[in-house]
Amino acid sequence: MKAESLQQNQAESLLSDLSTLVKARLSFLVLITTLVGFLMGVQGPIDYLLLGGTLLGTALSACGAAALNQWWERELDAKMKRTSNRPLPTGRLHAQDALYLGIFLSVAGVVLLAVITNFLTSFLAALTVGSYLFVYTPLKRLTSLNTIVGAIPGAIPPVIGWTAAGNGLTLEAWLLFAILFLWQMPHFLAIAWMYRDDYAAAGFRMLTIGDDEGISTARQAVMYSLALLATSLLPGLIRVNSPVYFFGAFILGVAFSAFAVRFSLARNRGTARLLFFASILYLPLLLGLMVLTRIW
């Protein structure tokens, strides 16, 4: 019985470490945005085989990119409190295993999308992985603009869903991209402010570095939240969505912007944390409203 219990604990520990390695929660968010893009773009009855293949290919790519990112930054993660207990810095997983797993998952996802969907969708997945790893990741130690650059691969997944449904890079696709891009900025600015000491210890040049009072960080959070509010209304204005969406998006945008303004007025960890949680609540509500009020 003790041996079986030990094996079960080891299996659970390994599963937990693998979940951390592939950033399961972040990868799940990628899937949600991809699903929204697909549902917004689909014409006629849903091809569930196509949808399933799109989500699986995207999941593999996202998990592979996350694993490779942690492999790349394992020594830097060891310097930060919030990441020092990850499986690679602690040695619970071998770096070489993470490298091979990341490469396999990334390639498998891109290839699967090429086979099941189309070349454009596969290319967008490859672009997401490549820009995340080879542009955003190294830039984190070179320039504070890395957050803006990193928001680009983070905004591509809904476009992947849109093109997988059989569409090109239309205005609607760019609107989905813009909404995700703008949403990420106050979201990550809040994180960067909460963990600015950690990032500084690892040598990451975040937008909060050198902004000891948080004035610039808070100003940008407000600016991007207001830009997001305006952009989120456009699907209603161009009649992709019904008037219900327009008013719902307006209310959500105003509420989200209020948290950014509150952060700008009291620039501390508490208000940054509230902005972070507001961003987590805002996005699924907006995307859900978008799907439910789509004009068919």
Side-chain angles (χ1 to χ4, degrees), residues 85-236:
N85 195 44
R86 283 177 173 175
L88 292 183
T90 59
R92 295 194 305 272
L93 292 178
H94 294 296
Q96 190 176 51
D97 293 338
L99 173 62
Y100 291 156
L101 178 64
I103 293 174
F104 172 77
L105 292 175
S106 300
V107 173
V110 171
V111 171
L112 180 62
L113 288 172
V115 172
I116 292 182
T117 61
N118 52 66
F119 173 78
L120 177 58
T121 301
S122 177
F123 170 76
L124 289 173
L127 178 63
T128 302
V129 174
S131 58
Y132 180 68
L133 290 175
F134 302 117
V135 182
Y136 168 62
T137 297
L139 281 181
K140 288 166 74 173
R141 302 196 71 192
L142 298 176
T143 173
S144 61
L145 296 178
N146 69 79
T147 302
I148 297 175
V149 174
I152 295 175
I156 296 178
V159 184
I160 289 176
W162 177 269
T163 58
N167 303 290
L169 296 177
T170 60
L171 174 61
E172 294 87 348
W174 287 112
L175 279 178
L176 289 171
F177 175 89
I179 289 171
L180 261 292
F181 177 88
L182 292 170
W183 169 82
Q184 288 176 90
M185 297 308 296
H187 175 78
F188 285 120
L189 284 168
I191 295 174
W193 180 254
M194 288 191 292
Y195 298 105
R196 59 191 183 280
D197 293 336
D198 254 6
Y199 286 124
F204 289 142
R205 299 187 58 81
M206 309 305 289
L207 290 169
T208 51
I209 299 299
D211 184 25
D212 296 335
E213 299 298 322
I215 295 175
S216 176
T217 302
R219 184 188 301 120
Q220 291 184 71
V222 173
M223 178 188 71
Y224 281 112
S225 66
L226 291 176
L228 173 61
L229 167 60
T231 304
S232 69
L233 300 178
L234 293 178

Side-chain angles (χ1 to χ4, degrees), residues 45-82:
I46 297 175
D47 184 337
Y48 289 100
L49 180 61
L50 178 61
L51 173 59
T54 300
L55 295 179
L56 178 58
T58 303
L60 291 173
S61 299
C63 290
L68 290 172
N69 171 259
Q70 289 193 50
W71 170 82
W72 191 317
E73 296 183 340
R74 62 193 184 280
E75 295 180 0
L76 301 177
D77 281 346
K79 299 179 181 180
M80 298 190 292
K81 292 180 180 179
R82 64 186 289 262

Side-chain angles (χ1 to χ4, degrees), residues 272-287:
R273 188 175 179 84
L274 285 174
L275 176 59
F276 169 74
F277 283 117
S279 70
I280 292 177
L281 185 61
Y282 168 87
L283 187 63
L285 288 176
L286 181 75
L287 296 181

